[in-house]
Amino acid sequence: MALALGLAAAVATGQQTPASTEQTPAPTSARQPAPSQPAAGSAQQAAPSSAQPATQTVVGHQPSEHDRAEAQKLFVEGAKDVDRDNTRAAMDHFVRAAELDPSEPKYQMADQIARQRLVSELIQQSDKDKILGRFPDARAKIAEAYSVDPGSPVIAQHMGELASTTVAGEPAVRPAMSGAPPIELEPKAVRRSFHLHASERELVNNVLPAYGIQATLDDSVSAQRVRYDVDDADFATAERTLALATGTFFVPLDPARVLVAKDTKANHDKFEREAVETVYLPGMATDQITEISTIAKNVFALRTASADPGQSALTVRGPTADLNALNATLTSLLEGRSELQVDVRMYEIDRSKAVNLGVILPNQTTLFNVYSEARNVLNSNASLVQEIVSSGLAAPGDWEAILAILIASGQISNSILTQPFGVFGGGLSLTGVVYQGGSLNMQLNSSDVRAIDQIQLRMLDREESTIKTGERYPIETSSFSSLGAAPINIPGLSTAGLSSTLQGLGVTPAQLQAEASINIPQVQYQDIGLTLKVTPTMMGTDRVSLKLDFTLSSLAGSSLNGLPLLNNREYNAITSVRVGETALLVSAMTRQESDAITGMPGLSEIPGFQSTTNKNSNLDVSELAIVITPHVVRSVHREASEKMIMLPGGP
């Protein structure tokens, strides 16, 4: 209600001062930075202040024809912006249209719809930012959606995330452990050149002080003379080259002092400082944490690597350089696999067509001599003929009229003349042909059924997903029953002495015996229909390899030993497509075609006599097309290789 009143107030303001309309449209406020913790009460308090101007403006203002025409143009432009997915511009046009013509409710309704659409888009973008780990951006999207439509029920579901310090899915910040940080040297930011030929001890005492670092030499550093030539070197270069030239390593004592000892395992164990770190591995199984612990010991030579599966943590102890290398490696491993979304569309087309067209002629007929048949009828009904002639119904010798009267009176029922017939010839050779019947067929039955299924799968790289569509058909595999031939013998119940009370209830020994031999079927359910298994594999950054396992199962329409037969068809393939492109899988499931021809042999094959043939054809086609389009939701490894990690070398 507060949102509707606020919209009415904006309409009133636009009508009184049109210049202020473009200064405060709704989308502009959506782009302003929203507070991190908005107060719901502020939106509720703003509603009453906007209610009164809205009522006065709608009642008292009558828009002109120019305003109506301009509002209609703005409405059309807003609809075009919606088609272009430019929701913010559409809101601008709808708000200005409502201000010019507040009497038209469709402008305000379109503005509300555009606001709801923009809110949905921002919430979807916020969810995507959460998946990608951009939690500050996700919180900003929620705040922007709140500024667009504070009264939306969709925003109400996310108000807790907007008010709290974290959003859904954001890992909580663990409290930092108190402990002394590693000692780091603070040398002078200068560059020096050295060309020395001296003992190892003299070389160290001449190079390190040039950068403001005081060296303390262990007795293991020898007096062997070496040559050291370096030009324009900073401290990092000088430290690395000096360690290689003298075979030593440095242990910082404080920011300006360092201990120098011979690079041996015994000296490392004696002088080198170690650090303790706890690495949290959320969501990992116990065997995976144990495997990472083994890697820390064997690959990075950490003497202590203790796994805690209950806390999903790994506690490691070792030199700082080794721990930094382990952290860099785990960062790459723990990013996980890439996440993909696969859009699957299944188009099923069933077509049937039945055509029955043509003429069916009789395949036999009867020929007879009309004169002979008429004479037989007259001779066998002489008395009736005399009565017809004597009564004056027909003249003597007019046998056609006499036959017509005999047939019409029903006195003749077993003659061929009572059936429909045709004649040809003349005189004594006049021949009759009995009509045996025929038919003209003009029938067409056609059906076209199309079904579309759209499925979206969210899966990880190299993870198999299965799509099943169809039904589960029960098949009886076996049955159990009582095989004992001996009747049940229960004294006093099924034998002598059966209780009269049980007899009164209708319980008889025959019923007890029947109950003892009840069959118990064992049923196995078989998947009938389509089964599609998809396994995507990322190939670089812009291609996806799809492993497709396609199975079609159907009933064969026959059975063996009472069990139905199944038709199975499988298709296995591996294809590679670019991200966003489509892979098409087509299968002609069934095709049945039958033709039946009815006609006269020979005559139906002569040109011009094909119309004497009746053709009955049936065509049933069932096709299935599967379209698969992969999209990358989160790509983990965007480069062919990670950054090279330099590990400290051994003696």
Side-chain angles (χ1 to χ4, degrees), residues 49 250 280 282 389 428 566 611 632:
S49 62
F250 305 144
Y280 293 96
V389 173
L428 296 177
L566 301 178
S611 59
V632 176

Side-chain angles (χ1 to χ4, degrees), residues 470-485:
E471 60 182 6
R472 294 177 60 83
Y473 187 81
I475 299 176
E476 183 178 350
T477 57
S478 61
S479 62
F480 296 90
S481 62
S482 176
L483 302 179

